[in-house]
Amino acid sequence: MGRHRVLPGPAPEPPEGAAIRIKVVSDIHGAAERLRAEAAGADVLLVCGDLLNLIDYRSRQGIMADVYGPEATRRFVELRTAGRFDEAGQVLRDGIAGREAEVREFVRVASRAQYEAVFAAFPERTYLTHGNADFPEQFRDLLRPGVRHLDGEAVEVGGLRVGFVGGGLPRGSRPHAAEVTESQFAAKVARLPRVDVLCSHMPPAVDDLRFDVVAGRPEPGSRALLDYVEEHQPDYLYFGHVHQPRVSRMRIGRTRLVNVGHFRATGRMLLHPVE
């Protein structure tokens, strides 16, 4: 990985006279009011997924905490942090034994309420993909003219061709929410044309970009994304998912790879182009 150069520093203001002001955000996790404030003034918002707050590992708050209670949530977070994903899932399954239908309905209603708040906060020109912790079927009817959901697709934005790949890769033997297999994810990447900017939720399969320093372990990374970057050399790959990455920016050839950041924790978006 020695040829991958780490990029320093925060995003600068866009150059004077820029045609449109493009902001990029990821890992909103239900922070709708802050989203509305930070998106103000953006002509276009690019969203790299995880709109929903199922569980905040820092505060242990979220829809799952409301369902399973503090003790099961604490144990779930401990096991997931330790990389014991199948055991963590079993804790949750044990916690709702006999009331599965009731819990599914609670999660559906709570998720819908969060999606309604987040979509109401999106500016009029928003292009988004979903993350591993999203349920796209629950927000499709919230899309409106100018607010588009894309997955394995590209769109023209201010003279740029911007591609989107949503969803996540499994951690453990059971896929969760919008996780798909590597081959399914790769098929979505393969549908993309050559783009100037690529937005995904998952990081590419580069060790420093996918390693979470707080959890002390790597998250999944997509080999297909890395192959796309190496072959097509888009100007940017923006992504999220890894909340505390060992490295948040680097370059592969002419492509700048940028972890957009954990918006729920930082309240910060990036301005495109990032230098």
Side-chain angles (χ1 to χ4, degrees), residues 10 28 32 45 67 90 96 124 189 197 228 233 236 238 252-253:
I28 297 166
L45 183 64
V67 169
Q90 191 61 52
I96 64 168
E124 287 309 306
V189 176
V197 176
Y228 182 95
Q233 291 284 279
Y236 290 89
Y238 291 122
I252 297 179

Side-chain angles (χ1 to χ4, degrees), residues 30 32-33 35-36 111-122 142:
E33 289 307 310
L35 174 69
R36 185 189 304 276
S111 299
R112 176 65 182 198
Q114 283 193 24
Y115 281 134
E116 288 177 353
V118 168
F119 273 79
F122 283 149
L142 296 174

Side-chain angles (χ1 to χ4, degrees), residues 4-200:
H4 298 168
R5 186 163 68 85
V6 176
L7 299 177
E13 290 296 315
E16 186 173 346
I20 59 173
R21 184 178 175 89
I22 300 174
K23 287 191 173 184
V24 192
V25 67
S26 188
D27 296 84
I28 297 166
H29 291 299
E33 289 307 310
R34 208 165 188 181
L35 174 69
R36 185 189 304 276
E38 292 298 315
D43 299 304
V44 174
L45 183 64
L46 308 179
V47 183
C48 295
D50 269 8
L51 284 60
L52 197 64
N53 183 34
L54 291 176
I55 181 66
D56 186 327
Y57 280 41
R58 301 166 306 131
S59 65
R60 297 181 185 173
Q61 295 176 335
I63 294 170
M64 288 174 54
D66 295 338
V67 169
Y68 296 100
E71 180 56 31
T73 300
R74 179 192 64 78
R75 185 62 178 149
F76 172 81
V77 169
E78 287 177 351
L79 289 169
R80 294 275 289 188
T81 301
R84 296 159 63 182
F85 301 108
D86 291 337
E87 291 175 66
Q90 191 61 52
V91 166
L92 299 189
R93 289 189 291 276
D94 290 346
I96 64 168
R99 57 188 187 103
E100 289 86 355
E102 172 193 343
V103 166
R104 282 195 298 270
E105 179 62 11
F106 180 94
V107 172
R108 185 193 68 78
V109 171
S111 299
R112 176 65 182 198
Q114 283 193 24
Y115 281 134
E116 288 177 353
V118 168
F119 273 79
F122 283 149
E124 287 309 306
R125 292 184 66 190
T126 296
Y127 302 96
L128 66 122
T129 198
H130 60 282
N132 64 298
D134 280 316
F135 304 104
E137 68 279 4
Q138 293 196 14
F139 63 66
R140 288 199 178 101
D141 66 321
L142 296 174
L143 300 168
R144 58 186 190 268
V147 178
R148 295 183 58 185
H149 171 234
L150 300 111
D151 186 19
E153 303 164 90
V155 66
E156 295 291 327
V157 179
L160 300 173
R161 179 172 284 184
V162 184
F164 292 83
V165 182
L169 297 168
R171 295 172 290 185
S173 61
R174 291 179 178 231
H176 171 74
E179 293 175 349
V180 297
T181 66
E182 177 66 49
S183 63
Q184 291 170 321
F185 194 94
K188 295 192 289 187
V189 176
R191 293 201 300 267
L192 290 169
R194 187 184 298 271
V195 299
D196 303 299
V197 176
L198 179 54
C199 297
S200 70

